[in-house]
Amino acid sequence: LINQLLEFRKMQNNKLALSLEETDVVAFLYEIFLSFSDAAESKNMDFQFVPSRTSYTMFIDKGHLDKVTYNLLSNAFKYTGRGKSITVTLRQEGNELMLQVKDTGIGIPLGKQDRIFERFYQADSEHLGSGIGLSLVQRLVELHHGVVKMESQEGEGSTFTVLVPVVESAYTLEEKQCTTEEIEEVHTTN
């Protein structure tokens, strides 16, 4: 929560930046998926990771994509009851990587869906939360030159779909140079 608040503060001050590095995104996201397996087991859930490939290397900001995935999975677990299911799907669609988190939880009422990405907004006051998570998700995905979409039906669950470019040319020279300089700086100071 503290890290999210710090990221939120950077977002408010327009100080969020990408730190791109070449990463096997399938392995990276699978590690995040595994960190939720105990929670899935304790709720007797059908929890699946469905990548279209066993490996896929692309440029991402690991810290930002971690926060995006963690927030989406945390919400899915928060609003999905015992014995239900959560599926994480990963595949390439054209020049984009699609990360999808689908649950069979309580869903979001139609009248509240258009506000779900607003800062501090909570569609359900019964569950604890800050209302920062989805707003931060949207901003971090936009920083990756991507989009996040949501589909939900009350009582049947929600699907959050993140699309980010897989081609290196989607990122500016400054974004790539920033990464190289930061990596060089880390190696020089160690």
Side-chain angles (χ1 to χ4, degrees):
L1 181 59
I2 291 169
N3 286 337
Q4 281 192 24
L5 289 170
L6 291 171
E7 289 295 317
F8 180 71
R9 185 72 177 151
K10 287 180 190 173
M11 182 174 69
Q12 283 183 310
N13 294 329
N14 291 322
K15 296 204 181 210
L16 280 175
L18 286 178
S19 180
L20 298 172
E21 58 185 287
E22 204 165 6
T23 305
D24 180 346
V25 72
V26 177
F28 176 72
L29 293 173
Y30 186 63
E31 287 297 317
I32 299 168
F33 167 83
L34 286 178
S35 69
F36 284 86
S37 57
D38 286 344
E41 191 175 319
S42 72
K43 290 178 86 172
N44 195 29
M45 292 180 140
D46 178 18
F47 185 44
Q48 295 182 35
F49 183 72
V50 186
S52 63
R53 297 162 70 167
T54 57
S55 177
Y56 190 77
T57 302
M58 61 183 278
F59 281 92
I60 60 167
D61 182 310
K62 289 168 71 172
H64 291 345
L65 193 58
D66 177 83
K67 287 176 186 74
V68 166
T69 308
Y70 184 84
N71 270 299
L72 293 178
L73 281 171
S74 293
N75 281 347
F77 274 90
K78 186 189 302 186
Y79 298 109
T80 304
R82 292 186 59 78
K84 300 281 188 168
S85 69
I86 297 174
T87 304
V88 179
T89 305
L90 189 63
R91 70 175 174 263
Q92 185 177 348
E93 291 193 346
N95 286 334
E96 295 178 312
L97 178 78
M98 185 205 74
L99 166 64
Q100 191 171 72
V101 176
K102 180 177 182 165
D103 67 61
T104 58
I106 63 173
I108 301 164
L110 189 60
K112 297 182 178 186
Q113 290 181 16
D114 60 343
R115 298 189 61 202
I116 202 70
F117 292 106
E118 288 180 18
R119 290 181 211 167
F120 306 119
Y121 183 75
Q122 292 178 276
D124 176 12
S125 58
E126 291 178 27
H127 293 84
L128 292 175
S130 62
I132 293 173
L134 289 176
S135 177
L136 182 60
V137 163
Q138 184 179 43
R139 182 66 186 107
L140 293 175
V141 170
E142 288 171 352
L143 202 60
H144 269 91
H145 307 285
V147 294
V148 59
K149 303 173 187 176
M150 184 267 311
E151 294 176 29
S152 187
Q153 193 163 351
E154 193 171 5
E156 293 187 23
S158 301
T159 302
F160 285 85
T161 304
V162 172
L163 297 164
V164 293
V166 296
V167 291
E168 190 178 343
S169 61
Y171 300 102
T172 67
L173 186 59
E174 291 80 22
E175 289 167 328
K176 288 183 251 178
Q177 285 177 336
C178 176
T179 303
T180 306
E181 289 168 11
E182 287 175 5
I183 291 170
E184 287 173 2
E185 185 178 307
V186 168
H187 290 301
T188 318
T189 57
N190 287 338

